[in-house]
Amino acid sequence: MPLSHDMVCSLAAAADLVNSAPETGGPDWLTDVAALHAYLERHQVSGLGSVTEADLAEVRALRATFQEVFAAPDAGAAVTLLNVLLERTRIAARLTEHDGWPLHVHYFAPGASAAEHLAADCGVALAHLLVENEWERLRTCAAPDCDKVFVDESRNRSRVYCDSRTCGNRMHVAAYRARRRA
């Protein structure tokens, strides 16, 4: 299934949010309102006013929920988690064309907090992935010292590392060196 531009952006935002947690092997970079603001700008989350400490706490809680979805043992468990999340979210759908992209649907929560906006947008993207039976595209990096999550957008679903330049390269070099020693 080819993923739409907005779906790719929303799934990337969800994975990036999960990867901001120290449980993924890196530092917790979502520590203050400025970091949250930078995250929202990086992922072009629009329709929000200023963000507050309360927004930061809510987004950090949402991060834990998305982390559970990525780590769910099967699609059924992910469906249960997403249904609970989406039931708590006011979702509005809006048809839009922008930035040269054809007509598509944006999901958002009008007048909502940053966390509710992300829950609507990213939650619906994750739900569409499940509906299309593409659950296996939600992955955790195969490098033994990395627990970052990612969405495998490859055509043949063969991606195993969160980043081919870091984890992938490191693992390939280690395998090469092991072969050379043998």
Side-chain angles (χ1 to χ4, degrees):
M1 154 190 136
L3 304 175
S4 71
H5 167 73
D6 277 354
M7 190 167 169
V8 168
C9 290
S10 296
L11 293 169
D16 192 24
L17 183 59
V18 170
N19 290 333
S20 73
E23 294 82 12
T24 61
D28 184 352
W29 54 258
L30 192 59
T31 57
D32 57 24
V33 173
L36 174 59
H37 183 70
Y39 165 82
L40 296 171
E41 279 194 2
R42 186 170 56 254
H43 290 286
Q44 300 176 346
V45 178
S46 60
L48 296 174
S50 60
V51 291
T52 65
E53 288 289 333
D55 291 319
L56 177 63
E58 289 176 9
V59 170
R60 288 173 65 92
L62 178 63
R63 171 177 73 180
T65 301
F66 283 153
Q67 196 166 21
E68 289 179 43
V69 171
F70 271 86
D74 54 47
V79 167
T80 301
L81 290 165
L82 280 172
N83 277 337
V84 169
L85 173 71
L86 294 172
E87 285 171 5
R88 297 187 318 233
T89 306
R90 296 173 288 151
I91 298 176
R94 182 178 182 98
L95 291 167
T96 185
E97 291 176 288
H98 62 85
D99 301 327
W101 295 101
L103 188 65
H104 58 281
V105 181
H106 275 207
Y107 299 94
F108 64 103
S113 68
E116 191 172 13
H117 189 91
L118 289 169
D121 187 43
C122 299
V124 167
L126 288 164
H128 278 292
L129 205 63
L130 287 162
V131 166
E132 295 296 329
N133 202 24
E134 296 287 347
W135 169 248
E136 68 276 359
R137 289 187 181 275
L138 298 180
R139 303 261 172 92
T140 301
C141 185
D145 58 342
C146 181
D147 289 320
K148 290 190 172 166
V149 300
F150 63 93
V151 178
D152 181 2
E153 297 173 48
S154 68
R155 185 175 287 184
N156 64 355
R157 296 169 188 84
S158 62
R159 186 171 160 203
V160 294
Y161 301 114
C162 64
D163 187 351
S164 61
R165 293 177 309 247
T166 54
C167 289
N169 188 46
R170 193 175 67 247
M171 297 307 297
H172 289 107
V173 168
Y176 170 77
R177 289 180 178 160
R179 285 192 307 271
R180 296 284 295 190
R181 281 192 302 267

